[in-house]
Amino acid sequence: MIDPRFQEVLEFIEERDENGEPSVSAKIAIKIQAYAQDVDDLRKELAGIENEVSELQAEVDGQSIALHEQSERKTDLVTEAQDAAVRAAMSGSGAGSARLRKQAQATRDRIAEFTKDFEEESNRVAQLTITLEAKKQAVKDQRGMIVRRLNTMSSLADRAGVEFGVELTAPQTQTQSGPRAVAPRVVRRRPRRVRVRRRRAS
């Protein structure tokens, strides 16, 4: 939505000078119209980037929680493997010892596979985080561009306001089909001094 002040300036977009060319006010209005369209496009792009940021942030948060849970599970598996190895070493060489050693080895295999998956997920989260930060920077840049466009539009509107103010306060404004009339110059004259002569007594 365009600022009402900008909308007021756009009313002069069809104004022409005595040669049929766009007036100064019209040229300013044309520039403001172009910037307004640019701002509208930038805002639409910004909305899309902000949606991407929200989705990425939710994904990163979810994956980070999952990684934390996997890290805790890995700690439990390591403890379980160590306990199985200790029990196997203390049980001697019987069938029970073989079963404990097999159990410990199976747990170590699970830890190795678990570690591989954990590293892959960690790398994925790291890449997602990099993308997320890039998107956040893009949001800042996009907002900065919008602010700069709006500042430029404000400067143009101020210039247009000065132009319009001059036209509105002029003694006689320029018409669409003819040159600007010049107000007649008023010449003020000082009144003459009248001398009074006195008669001498005879």
Side-chain angles (χ1 to χ4, degrees):
M1 182 177 180
I2 300 178
D3 187 292
R5 184 176 61 157
F6 299 150
Q7 191 66 48
E8 181 180 353
V9 176
L10 292 179
E11 295 178 1
F12 292 84
I13 201 166
E14 299 295 335
E15 187 177 75
R16 296 293 181 270
D17 59 18
E18 63 273 11
N19 298 321
E21 299 294 329
S23 65
V24 173
S25 301
K27 290 178 181 178
I28 293 175
I30 291 170
K31 289 182 179 179
I32 288 179
Q33 185 183 55
Y35 277 111
Q37 182 60 53
D38 194 20
V39 167
D40 187 54
D41 294 339
L42 287 172
R43 282 175 172 165
K44 290 178 181 177
E45 293 176 7
L46 176 61
I49 298 173
E50 288 177 335
N51 287 336
E52 292 177 4
V53 168
S54 297
E55 293 174 358
L56 281 171
Q57 186 67 65
E59 189 173 359
V60 168
D61 292 343
Q63 291 293 331
S64 297
I65 293 173
L67 280 175
H68 179 70
E69 293 175 351
Q70 289 179 354
S71 179
E72 292 182 343
R73 178 55 181 159
K74 180 181 177 181
T75 301
D76 294 339
L77 288 173
V78 170
T79 301
E80 183 181 335
Q82 291 174 345
D83 291 343
V86 170
R87 289 198 302 271
M90 296 177 61
S91 62
S93 57
S97 178
R99 180 179 58 80
L100 290 172
R101 285 195 297 271
K102 185 177 181 180
Q103 180 181 349
Q105 183 59 46
T107 304
R108 284 192 292 268
D109 292 341
R110 288 175 60 192
I111 292 173
E113 183 178 354
F114 195 88
T115 300
K116 181 181 178 181
D117 293 340
F118 183 83
E119 290 176 353
E120 291 177 353
E121 289 300 317
S122 296
N123 291 334
R124 184 169 181 273
V125 171
Q127 292 299 321
L128 286 174
T129 302
I130 293 173
T131 303
L132 175 61
E133 293 303 318
K135 292 292 183 180
K136 287 181 177 179
Q137 185 60 48
V139 167
K140 292 181 181 179
D141 294 341
Q142 199 84 344
R143 287 176 178 169
M145 285 191 288
I146 291 173
V147 169
R148 287 192 293 273
R149 296 293 192 282
L150 292 174
N151 287 340
T152 301
M153 290 171 67
S154 294
S155 298
L156 289 171
D158 289 339
R159 287 175 54 192
V162 171
E163 292 293 335
F164 301 158
V166 171
E167 292 177 4
L168 291 174
T169 57
Q172 293 186 11
T173 58
Q174 180 178 354
T175 61
Q176 296 290 332
S177 58
R180 179 180 296 177
V182 179
R185 182 179 179 185
V186 178
V187 180
R188 301 193 180 205
R189 296 181 179 178
R190 295 181 179 179
R192 294 181 179 180
R193 293 184 61 185
V194 178
R195 286 187 174 185
V196 178
R197 294 184 180 181
R198 297 180 181 180
R199 290 185 178 185
R200 294 181 179 179
S202 56

